[in-house]
Amino acid sequence: LTTAVALDQPDSVQLILNNQVNGLSAAARQSLIEKTMLMAAKEDSATALSRLLDLGLPADFNHDGMTLQSVAVASGSSRVQALLASQ
């Protein structure tokens, strides 16, 4: 999953994430999804993040004090910042 996010491969991210969340509790599933989205923000993987947002996942969460916007800004992820600004 980490490699798929870093390479900004939305199909792979979606497939791997779907497989990894299968069977998890709702809380564990939400945590994994949020961590994946934050990783995409850090890696400036706007295409992968856009896919997750297009699937209806929220962009306005706070995970351990981190938001998509705060991670994107701290990481200098300009493509993700532009994506979030267009939401």
Side-chain angles (χ1 to χ4, degrees):
L1 182 58
T2 302
T3 301
V5 170
L7 295 174
D8 202 14
Q9 298 293 316
D11 292 336
S12 297
V13 170
Q14 184 178 353
L15 178 68
I16 295 166
L17 191 57
N18 282 342
N19 286 331
Q20 288 189 359
V21 299
N22 193 22
L24 295 178
S25 68
R29 182 172 45 249
Q30 186 65 29
S31 180
L32 180 57
I33 290 168
E34 289 175 358
K35 287 177 183 177
T36 302
M37 293 175 77
L38 289 169
M39 185 180 355
K42 180 181 179 200
E43 296 291 335
D44 204 20
S45 298
T47 307
L49 183 58
S50 179
R51 168 72 62 85
L52 297 175
L53 295 172
D54 288 348
L55 292 171
L57 297 173
D60 61 346
F61 62 86
N62 184 314
H63 186 89
D64 294 334
M66 294 179 288
T67 66
L68 290 175
Q69 185 67 34
S70 69
V71 170
V73 168
S75 302
S77 300
S78 59
R79 294 181 333 123
V80 168
Q81 289 178 55
L83 171 66
L84 295 173
S86 72
Q87 295 291 306

